[in-house]
Amino acid sequence: QVQLVESGGGLVQAGGSLRLSCSASGRTVDHYNIGWFRQAPGKERDVVAAINWSGAYYADSVKGRFTISRDNAKNTVYLQMNSLKPEDTAVYYCAAGSFGGPVRTRVYEYDYWGQGTQVTVSS
C-alpha cells in the first residue's frame, strides 16, 4: 500500500509555470504506474500524464507543455507545467496503480489517490 501527498499548486498567470510534486510513502513509486489527473468543477476527472517502467503518456491537451518525471531516490513524481492556460485550472490529483503492462490512463485503473492540489490559471 502507498500513501500519496501532492504539493505545488497555486495561482499563476497564463503563460506561467508550476511544478507539482507527488510524494509517496509506504512503497516506492517504481512499484507502480503513477498518474496525474485533474478535475475541473462540473467535469469528470481525466488523466493529464502518466508514467511507468515502459514510458510516459500525455493527454493531447498538454503535450509539449507538461512533463512527468520520477525521482526514485526521493520517492517522488513531478509534473512540470509550462505555458499554462486558463483551461488548465482544476484540482490536480496524483494516483498509483498496479505495476505492469502499458501506461495506465483510466481512473478505474488506479487504486491509491492523493488529496489533490488546486491549480488556478488567471487570464
Side-chain angles (χ1 to χ4, degrees):
Q1 188 163 336
V2 64
Q3 294 79 42
L4 305 171
V5 178
E6 303 96 336
S7 61
L11 173 64
V12 64
Q13 288 188 332
S17 298
L18 284 173
R19 188 178 77 160
L20 304 183
S21 299
C22 174
S23 298
S25 60
R27 292 199 72 184
T28 55
V29 292
D30 57 356
H31 282 83
Y32 295 94
N33 279 265
I34 301 292
W36 283 99
F37 293 76
R38 67 186 180 189
Q39 188 167 20
K43 295 189 176 181
E44 293 185 350
R45 189 173 298 187
D46 291 322
V47 67
V48 174
I51 191 170
N52 76 355
W53 63 274
S54 67
Y57 165 90
Y58 295 94
D60 288 342
S61 59
V62 306
K63 280 181 182 176
R65 300 189 298 123
F66 291 11
T67 303
I68 189 171
S69 62
R70 182 173 59 200
D71 186 333
N72 291 337
K74 294 183 178 180
N75 214 24
T76 299
V77 176
Y78 302 99
L79 185 68
Q80 178 67 45
M81 306 187 296
N82 299 327
S83 302
L84 282 161
K85 304 175 181 180
E87 51 264 43
D88 294 318
T89 295
V91 178
Y92 284 70
Y93 299 89
C94 73
S98 59
F99 187 79
V103 178
R104 304 185 188 280
T105 62
R106 306 297 180 93
V107 170
Y108 68 81
E109 294 177 304
Y110 285 81
D111 303 307
Y112 306 100
W113 293 82
Q115 81 288 353
T117 185
Q118 176 70 47
V119 171
T120 303
V121 184
S122 62
S123 57

